[in-house]
Coordinates of all heavy atoms in Angstrom, one line a residue:
L14 N 2.1 16.4 -9.7 CA 2.6 16.9 -11.0 C 2.1 18.3 -11.4 O 2.8 19.0 -12.0 CB 2.3 15.9 -12.2 CG 3.1 14.6 -12.2 CD1 2.5 13.7 -13.3 CD2 4.6 14.9 -12.5
P19 N -7.0 17.4 -15.4 CA -8.1 17.4 -16.3 C -9.1 16.2 -16.2 O -8.5 15.1 -16.2 CB -7.5 17.5 -17.7 CG -6.1 17.9 -17.4 CD -5.7 17.4 -16.1
G142 N -18.5 21.7 -0.4 CA -17.5 22.6 -0.9 C -16.2 22.7 -0.1 O -15.9 21.9 0.8
A144 N -15.4 24.8 2.3 CA -15.7 25.0 3.7 C -15.8 23.6 4.5 O -15.3 23.4 5.5 CB -16.9 25.9 3.9
P152 N -9.8 17.1 12.4 CA -10.2 15.8 13.0 C -9.7 14.6 12.1 O -9.5 13.5 12.7 CB -11.8 15.8 12.9 CG -12.1 16.8 12.0 CD -11.1 17.8 12.0
D171 N -9.9 28.3 -3.9 CA -10.5 28.0 -2.6 C -10.1 26.7 -2.0 O -9.8 26.5 -0.8 CB -12.0 28.2 -2.6 CG -12.5 29.6 -3.0 OD1 -11.7 30.5 -2.8 OD2 -13.6 29.7 -3.5
L173 N -7.5 24.7 -3.4 CA -6.0 24.6 -3.4 C -5.3 25.2 -2.2 O -4.2 24.9 -1.9 CB -5.5 25.1 -4.7 CG -5.8 24.2 -6.0 CD1 -5.5 25.0 -7.2 CD2 -5.1 22.9 -5.9

Side-chain angles (χ1 to χ4, degrees):
L14 288 172
D171 296 337
L173 291 167

